[in-house]
Amino acid sequence: MKKIVLVDGNSIAYRAFFALPLLNNQKGEYTNAVYGFTTMLLKVLEMENPTHMLVAFDAGKETFRHQTYAAYKGTRQKTPSELSGQIPLIHDVLKAFSIPRYEAKSYEADDIIGTVARRAAKEDYKVVVVTGDKDLLQLVDQNIEVVLTKKGMSEVDRYDEAAIHERYGLTPTQIIDLKGLMGDSSDNIPGVPGVGEKTALKLLAQFEDVETVLASIDQVSGKKLKERLTENQEQARLSKKLATIFTDMPLEETLDAFTYTGYDEEQVRAVFRELSFHSLLERIGQGEAPEESSDFAPLPYEVVKKPEEKHFASPSALVVEMFAEHELQGDLIGMGVANENGRFFFPVDVALSSPLFQDFITSATVEKWLFSAKQSIVALEKRGLSLQGVTFDLQMASYLLDPSVSAEEVGDVAHRKEMKVVRSDEAVYGKGAKRHIPDEDELSEHVCRKASALYELKPLLANELAENKQDELFYELEMPLSLVLAKMECTGIKVDIAQLKAMGKDLSARIAVLEREIHAEAGVSFNINSPKQMGTILFETLALPPVKKTKTGYSTSADVLEKLRDAHPIIELILHYRQLVKLHSTYIEGLLKVVDATTHKVHTRFNQALTQTGRLSSADPNLQNIPIRLEEGRKIRKAFIASKPGWKIVAADYSQIELRVLAHICGDENMKRAFLEDMDIHTKTAMDVFGVSEQDVTSAMRRTAKAVNFGIVYGISDYGLSQNLGISRKEAKDFIDRYLVSYPKVKEYMEDVVTKARKKGYVETLLARRRYLPELNSRNFNQRSFAERTALNTPIQGTAADIIKMSMVQMDKRLQTSPLAATLLLQVHDELIFEVAKDDVASLKALVLEVMEHALPLDVPLKVDVSSGDSWYDAK
DNA sequence: CCCTACACGC
DNA sequence: GACGTACGTGTAGGGA
C-alpha cells in the first residue's frame, strides 16, 4: 500500500518555535523551531513509515485569498525574526533527509496539501496530514487522516472522520461552515460577529451548513442572533470561502515526484552536528561514529625513542596523558608534543629518563601550551618534575570565552571549532568497567592528535580572548592562579585522623540510639535513610499530614519536617538523626576515605573552569562545604590542623564582599555610606526596610533584613525569599519592594543590567568575566525570570570571585618574596586558609589584611576578618 | 550505572 | 495568574 505523509511546514515550525525555549547552536543561531520540527519529522517517519512524503511551505505574502479579501491575515503579527531565520535551516534538514519540499506562488501550504491529498486519495493512497492548524481537518475523508500537534509538541491528536464527529459532532466538510460562522481571528477571517464555537456548533447541528442556516434564519432561536445572521450573510459566505482549502491548484508533478525511500544517515548526522543536535545524533544511532579515526585525515606523527632538540621547539603544545580521573592518583601513560617540527609521542620511560625532555619540562623560557595546565603540573610534580613555562591553558581559555560549555578534553574544544582531528577519550579508552589502556599505536596517535589540535587551537582562542578584551583576566589572573592552585593541591591540608575516628565512634553510638528510638516511635523497623520508606511511615502508618510531594512520593525534607515538629515526637528524632548521619557518612567516613595514609593529608582538587559565576569548586574531598553553622558539625573543623609542629592555622574572610561589590557597581549612596561608616549592614537594611531607628531594630527584623540581603546576593526570587523566611510570597515581594525603595540605585542597576544583557547577550564582571544569558529572550516566564535574576547576580558574585582570586595571586607572590614561613592551603569563596609558623602569625595576619583589603580598590572599603588557632575550628 | 532525594557550605 | 526558583559536591537508596 502506498502511503503519503504531507507536512504543513510553516505551521509545524511556528508551533515548535512557541513551544520550545530559544536554543542556539555553536554559531549562535537560534534552533528551537528547527529542533522541534526535526523531532516531529523523526517521529512521523518512525510512526508512519511512508512511501511518499512532502513538506509544504507558504511562499510570499500575497495569495489568491487576498484578492478576494484584502484584510486576509491582516491582524497577524509579523513572523519574529528569530523564527524566520530558522526556515532556511529547516530546508537544510529536509535536504539532508531527502524529503521534497514544495511551495507555490500565491498559494498557501494548506492549498498544496489539500491538492496533493485529494489527488493521492483518489489514487487510493493512504494520506496522513501533519499540521498544527485545525483548519486542515476539513480535508479528512476515508483515505485522509489529519495529525494535529498539541501544545507541548510532545503529543499529537489523530483525526479520522469518526474522531472529528466525536470531538465536534460535525463532518469534515462542516469544519468549513464552522469557520464561516465563527471566523478565525488568527487569519482575520470575520465570520458572524457574536457567534463563537458554541453557537456555531449549535447552528450546524440544526442546519447542516452555512447556506441552510442563512436560508432558515427565521427558525433560529434568539432575537439578537437572528439580527446578526441577517446583517452578516455576505460576510458569512465570504468567511466560508476564505476558510475553504483549495484542492485543485495546478500541479505539474506526478505523485511519483514525492517518493520517499529513506535518508542517508551520514548526511543527516552532518546537519545535526552543524545544528548541535546532540540528543538527536544519539537517537538516530551511532552508525560510523563521527570521531572514529578512519573519518579523519591521516596525521603524521612520530613515536620517539631518542629525544632530540627538534622535538622541543618553543612554543610547543604539550599533552601529559594520564589514565585516571584524578591527577594525584593516576599513572602517566605517555607524553605528546606538537610544534613547528611535527608531532611526537614519548613513551613514559623514554620521557622521564631523557635529560632533554626534563629540560624541556622545567625550562621557563620554552613556551608550553596545555589543556588543563594545573592537572599536568600536579601530575609531574608528583614525579619530581617542576613544569615551567606554561603560557597558555586551552581549557581555561575556553571557559573564560563561555563558561556554559564544558570542555573536559581537547576534543571538546576542537569539536566546537569544527576541527575534526581528535577522538574523545571515551572512544579511545572506553568507559566504566570496559575502561582500558589501548595498544601503543592507538594511544600514541590519540595523544599526538590531542597535541596537534591544541597547537592549532591556541591561536584561535587567544584571538577570541583578545577580541573580548579578556586578555588581562586570562593572562594576569586565571593563568597565574592555576599555578597557585596547583601548589595548594600538592600541599594539601593535614587531618587529625585519631580525632576524626573518635568523633566517628561517638556519632555511631548516638546514631544507634536514635535509630532505636525512631523505630520505637514508629512501631516498626524501617530504613530511616530511605526517603521512600520514611514517607510511608510518616504519612501512612503515622498518618501525619503530608506537606509537600516530590515526583516520586512524599517529601521528607528538613523544611517539611520542621512544619511537623509539633505533630509527633518522631520528627525531632528524625531531624537529629539526619544531622548526625550526614556528619558521619559525609564528613567522617567520607573524609577518612580520602586521607593519605602516610602523610595524613587530604588533597582537594579545585576546579577552576566549571562554575557559571567564576567561583572555584572543590572536590575529592570538597573542602568548601565543611560544616560551620551548627556547633555539632562545626567540631569537624577541629580535625583540620597545621602540618608542622608549632604551626598555626590562620583564616581570613571577607566581610560582606558581595554587598560591598553591589554598592560599588550600582553606586547607591545610602548603601555606600553604610559601608563607609562600617555599619552592620543587616541592621542598616532593617532600619531602612522597616523605617525604624537603630535601637528599635529587633532581632526578627534583622533576620528578615539578612534574608533579603542574602536574596539579593544569590539572586533568589520573591518565592525563594518567602521559603527562606517562612512567609507568604506577597510579604516577601513587599520586603523586596521596600528594599528597592531604600536603595534606589540598586533598582536602577537591576533594570539596567537586564536591558544591557538582553542587547549584548551576556553580562560581565569588573574584570570582564562573561556569562551568556540567551534565556533573557525566552518566552517561558520561568526561564526568562531566572535569566533576569542571573543577570543581576552574576556580576556581583563573579566580581567577588575575581577579587578573592586576585588576593590569592598576590598573596602567593608576596609569600614567595617574604621570609614568612606560611602557606596558602584553601579557598572557600570569600575566605582564605593558611598555615603558618607560630612566630609568624602576627606578620602573616598583617600581610593578609593588607593584600586582601586592597586586592581591587572599590568605592567602598573591603573588610577582612582574620583569626588564628591550632585548628580550623579554633581560627574563628 | 544512573537517577532522585537530601543536606552541607557560600 | 501560573510557572518552580542561587551555585556547587557527596551520600544513600532504589530500579534497570
Side-chain angles (χ1 to χ4, degrees), chain A residues 729-789:
Chain A
R729 189 166 152 186
K730 163 113 184 33
E731 288 172 297
K733 190 175 177 311
D734 225 52
F735 282 135
I736 294 173
D737 289 343
R738 265 142 70 188
Y739 180 95
L740 294 177
V741 171
S742 306
Y743 304 104
K745 284 275 188 67
V746 173
K747 181 155 196 255
E748 224 171 86
Y749 163 70
M750 285 171 72
E751 287 156 5
D752 220 45
V753 76
V754 169
T755 317
K756 268 207 204 127
R758 200 170 286 133
K759 220 173 281 167
K760 291 196 295 187
Y762 61 88
V763 288
E764 58 187 342
T765 67
L766 282 189
L767 297 192
R769 184 186 306 282
R770 282 188 184 193
R771 181 172 185 179
Y772 289 89
L773 296 169
E775 284 95 356
L776 280 176
N777 294 309
S778 169
R779 283 161 316 284
N780 177 306
F781 176 87
N782 280 326
Q783 291 188 354
R784 193 177 59 247
S785 306
F786 178 50
E788 285 169 3
R789 296 200 303 274

Side-chain angles (χ1 to χ4, degrees), chain A residues 483-746:
Chain A
L483 307 185
V484 177
L485 291 172
K487 249 196 264 183
M488 291 163 66
E489 290 182 13
C490 290
T491 305
I493 181 164
K494 174 100 175 236
V495 168
D496 184 342
I497 293 182
Q499 171 113 7
L500 275 186
K501 283 186 173 160
M503 290 172 76
K505 211 174 151 195
D506 175 55
L507 281 171
S508 304
R510 291 163 58 201
I511 287 168
V513 172
L514 279 168
E515 191 179 335
R516 277 196 297 277
E517 289 174 354
I518 290 168
H519 288 159
E521 287 288 352
V524 285
S525 168
F526 68 103
N527 186 345
I528 310 172
N529 296 325
S530 161
K532 192 179 161 180
Q533 293 183 32
M534 189 189 293
T536 315
I537 296 288
L538 292 183
F539 304 112
E540 288 173 20
T541 312
L542 299 179
L544 295 173
V547 181
K548 203 167 72 178
K549 288 203 132 197
T550 66
K551 51 185 150 180
T552 51
Y554 306 106
S555 169
T556 66
S557 62
D559 61 312
V560 168
L561 296 185
E562 288 293 342
K563 295 194 176 99
L564 297 171
R565 247 206 164 110
D566 301 328
H568 199 285
I570 198 173
I571 302 295
E572 192 75 44
L573 297 171
I574 290 171
L575 284 166
H576 197 199
Y577 175 91
R578 282 244 178 100
Q579 190 199 337
L580 300 191
V581 163
K582 174 76 177 178
L583 291 178
H584 191 255
S585 63
T586 305
Y587 297 107
I588 304 284
E589 294 299 325
L591 219 41
L592 285 171
K593 257 182 246 167
V594 290
V595 181
D596 186 303
T598 51
T599 63
H600 291 194
K601 281 181 167 187
V602 287
H603 303 264
T604 189
R605 289 175 305 121
F606 290 104
N607 198 332
Q608 195 186 351
L610 183 135
T611 70
Q612 301 304 298
T613 54
R615 279 184 169 184
L616 301 176
S617 80
S618 152
D620 305 311
N622 181 352
L623 294 180
Q624 291 183 323
N625 72 342
I626 303 299
I628 187 163
R629 286 188 169 137
L630 301 171
E631 178 57 25
E632 187 91 55
R634 190 174 196 153
K635 291 204 163 64
I636 300 281
R637 296 181 172 226
K638 286 181 192 261
F640 291 91
I641 53 177
S643 66
K644 301 184 186 94
W647 281 44
K648 301 278 182 188
I649 299 290
V650 168
D653 66 290
Y654 279 110
S655 161
Q656 304 299 345
I657 186 167
E658 279 100 351
L659 289 174
R660 288 169 197 264
V661 167
L662 173 61
H664 171 86
I665 291 181
C666 76
D668 188 275
E669 290 305 327
N670 190 18
M671 191 183 274
K672 272 173 28 183
R673 198 166 51 244
F675 286 120
L676 285 163
E677 291 169 8
D678 198 23
M679 294 179 72
D680 176 311
I681 189 65
H682 302 316
T683 304
K684 163 71 176 157
T685 305
M687 289 163 60
D688 289 331
V689 168
F690 294 103
V692 296
S693 64
E694 187 164 355
Q695 54 269 34
D696 291 337
V697 173
T698 64
S699 62
M701 288 176 181
R702 188 176 180 280
R703 197 176 67 90
T704 303
K706 189 174 172 180
V708 175
N709 279 330
F710 176 89
I712 297 289
V713 166
Y714 287 120
I716 62 176
S717 58
D718 50 2
Y719 179 87
L721 181 63
S722 75
Q723 292 295 300
N724 269 344
L725 285 171
I727 59 175
S728 76
R729 189 166 152 186
K730 163 113 184 33
E731 288 172 297
K733 190 175 177 311
D734 225 52
F735 282 135
I736 294 173
D737 289 343
R738 265 142 70 188
Y739 180 95
L740 294 177
V741 171
S742 306
Y743 304 104
K745 284 275 188 67
V746 173

Side-chain angles (χ1 to χ4, degrees), chain A residues 348-408:
Chain A
V348 178
D349 52 334
V350 173
L352 293 183
S353 62
S354 153
L356 267 181
F357 191 92
Q358 293 188 12
D359 288 349
F360 167 66
I361 293 291
T362 56
S363 160
T365 49
V366 180
E367 239 190 85
K368 280 159 293 255
W369 304 337
L370 284 90
F371 184 93
S372 185
K374 175 167 68 68
Q375 188 181 6
S376 303
I377 292 170
V378 173
L380 290 171
E381 187 71 40
K382 222 185 136 190
R383 278 113 191 140
L385 280 176
S386 170
L387 175 58
Q388 306 285 328
V390 178
T391 56
F392 197 89
D393 184 331
L394 188 73
Q395 186 185 39
M396 189 61 54
S398 165
Y399 170 68
L400 292 186
L401 289 170
D402 187 347
S404 71
V405 278
S406 64
E408 298 296 326

Side-chain angles (χ1 to χ4, degrees), chain A residues 40-58:
Chain A
M40 176 57 62
L41 200 61
L42 282 168
K43 195 193 259 178
V44 164
L45 289 175
E46 194 183 313
M47 271 171 39
E48 308 294 344
N49 205 9
T51 56
H52 293 66
M53 183 126 182
L54 176 67
V55 180
F57 286 92
D58 298 341

Side-chain angles (χ1 to χ4, degrees), chain A residues 3 27 45 49 146 152 172 251 428 435 438 463 520 675 854:
Chain A
K3 183 175 194 178
K27 285 187 257 169
L45 289 175
N49 205 9
V146 170
L251 198 70
V428 176
R435 223 172 105 87
N463 245 338
F675 286 120
H854 303 102

Side-chain angles (χ1 to χ4, degrees), chain A residues 339-353:
Chain A
N339 55 40
E340 57 182 5
N341 299 321
R343 288 151 292 270
F344 313 104
F345 178 81
F346 304 86
V348 178
D349 52 334
V350 173
L352 293 183
S353 62

